[in-house]
Amino acid sequence: KPKADWEINHFLRPLVDELLELWNSGIYYARTSKHVGGRLVRCALVPLVCDLPAARQVGGFGSYSSKYFCHMCDLRKEDMDELDMDKWGTRTCEDHREAAEAWKDMPSVAQRKSAFKLNSTRWSALLDLPYWDPIQFTVIDSMHNHYLGLLQDHCRGIWGMNTEVDEEHQDAEEGLQPAAASETAAEQTSMSNAPKYRPILGKKTLKHIHTHLRDTELPSWVNPVPTNVGAKSRGKLSADQWHVFCVVNLPIILIPLWYHKSQLHRERLNNYMDLVTEVVIGSLLEMSEPVIKIYEEAALRYLHTAKRLYNISITPNQHNSLHIPSFLRNFGLLHALRTFFSERMNLNLQNENTNMKFG
């Protein structure tokens, strides 16, 4: 990884030069399978698909800890709890390009750092592509946002999933003061520092869940999750495992367990099912405007209710989930905009035997 965020441009430059040639003049193939007389081909780069840190670095944006933590709206870091989207404002391609040009023209590193602190914008080589819109084309990856983000954070950060801690009183009427939710998937996954409150998914409930995981029969095309999920010995879950566990297993197990316990348990179930609705819609193989509106309503209702039930603060990942409808409208299904393919490619590359020397 480049040591400084702007060093990424050294890696982007050769790619951008080729993309400019493909856009301006194109490449003429003397013959193709369908055109024996040859064919002129032009290409354009549209979506930038990668995880959040890489997307912000490549696109020329600040990280989720910057003053302007979101690459799509003008909401400031200190106002992250604001859920009225009409108050967010909208970033524009024109304003971003102007700020990025100004950053590039700064004569010193110190001045560039000062400019970045003001508007969380720096130059990216991708801006040399005249058609490229960094606001609309920098995708929020749903694999990290939904599976490794929202679902994992709800189980670990909000419900405090832990097999080694006794849970709250069964009547659960005293409410819950959760630890601050982690901002990164790595932090969310690490639960070595046990929370000081009694978790909702504690020892007794997880024992019940583990029993029913073993008893649940799934279709052959659904990969079962480990039956000791939540235990330290289990370690991390993959994005697909979080998806199956939270969208398939937990609704089957928790609805009959919690629904008749108390009003608070029913409110928690309703809140959780709004999250499930949001994630399921993001995984659909067909999309329409009415369905996108259901996503928007469920996502907003989930965060509003979670704030009331658990006294949480909104995280950058939760905020980003409210922008995903923009990509559903612009690009359609999220399957083509997820990083599953690149993560699997990374795994394949990591498994290659090398001598750890370049070349």
Side-chain angles (χ1 to χ4, degrees), residues 15 17 29 51 67 175 191 286 299 327:
L15 172 65
D17 289 343
Y29 289 91
D51 63 17
K67 178 180 179 180
M191 293 297 290
E286 294 182 5
F327 301 102

Side-chain angles (χ1 to χ4, degrees), residues 144-347:
H144 286 89
N145 183 272
H146 284 170
Y147 305 161
L148 294 175
L150 296 180
L151 296 178
Q152 181 177 189
D153 182 53
H154 193 93
C155 290
R156 290 193 179 277
I158 294 178
W159 282 350
M161 185 169 70
N162 195 328
T163 59
E164 299 181 2
V165 180
D166 290 328
E167 54 216 339
E168 60 177 0
H169 298 303
Q170 283 195 345
D171 60 11
E173 295 298 343
E174 71 275 14
L176 176 68
Q177 298 292 330
S182 302
E183 292 186 355
T184 67
E187 290 172 342
Q188 291 163 355
T189 304
S190 175
M191 293 297 290
S192 56
N193 297 321
K196 303 303 179 182
Y197 61 88
R198 292 184 182 274
I200 293 174
L201 291 190
K203 187 186 300 183
K204 183 177 180 179
T205 303
L206 280 171
K207 183 179 179 181
H208 178 86
I209 290 172
H210 293 166
T211 299
H212 282 270
L213 284 175
R214 289 189 290 269
D215 295 339
T216 302
E217 293 186 15
L218 297 174
S220 60
W221 60 86
V222 177
N223 295 320
V225 300
T227 54
N228 63 340
V229 59
K232 278 188 177 180
S233 59
R234 172 61 258 164
K236 295 181 179 180
L237 297 181
S238 68
D240 186 57
Q241 288 171 330
W242 277 115
H243 184 208
V244 173
F245 177 61
C246 294
V247 169
V248 179
N249 294 118
L250 285 186
I252 292 173
I253 298 170
L254 292 182
I255 289 175
L257 178 66
W258 282 0
Y259 186 78
H260 296 289
K261 271 192 173 183
S262 70
Q263 177 63 29
L264 180 56
H265 280 96
R266 285 191 293 274
E267 289 183 4
R268 287 172 176 171
L269 280 173
N270 289 334
N271 172 250
Y272 180 68
M273 292 310 295
D274 278 331
L275 172 59
V276 170
T277 299
E278 172 184 358
V279 173
V280 167
I281 289 175
S283 307
L284 292 178
L285 296 177
E286 294 182 5
M287 192 56 58
S288 65
E289 182 60 29
V291 173
I292 295 174
K293 290 188 179 299
I294 294 174
Y295 177 104
E296 291 174 324
E297 292 168 0
L300 269 175
R301 191 165 55 241
Y302 165 68
L303 292 179
H304 275 293
T305 310
K307 287 182 67 176
R308 176 176 62 82
L309 290 175
Y310 306 109
N311 193 30
I312 65 169
S313 296
I314 301 300
T315 67
N317 191 72
Q318 290 168 338
H319 171 91
N320 286 343
S321 70
L322 300 177
H323 283 299
I324 282 185
S326 297
F327 301 102
L328 289 171
R329 292 186 173 102
N330 288 343
F331 296 110
L333 304 175
L334 298 182
H335 283 259
L337 306 172
R338 301 193 304 200
T339 58
F340 273 114
F341 72 94
S342 56
E343 295 291 336
R344 285 166 180 158
M345 179 60 71
N346 286 341
L347 178 62

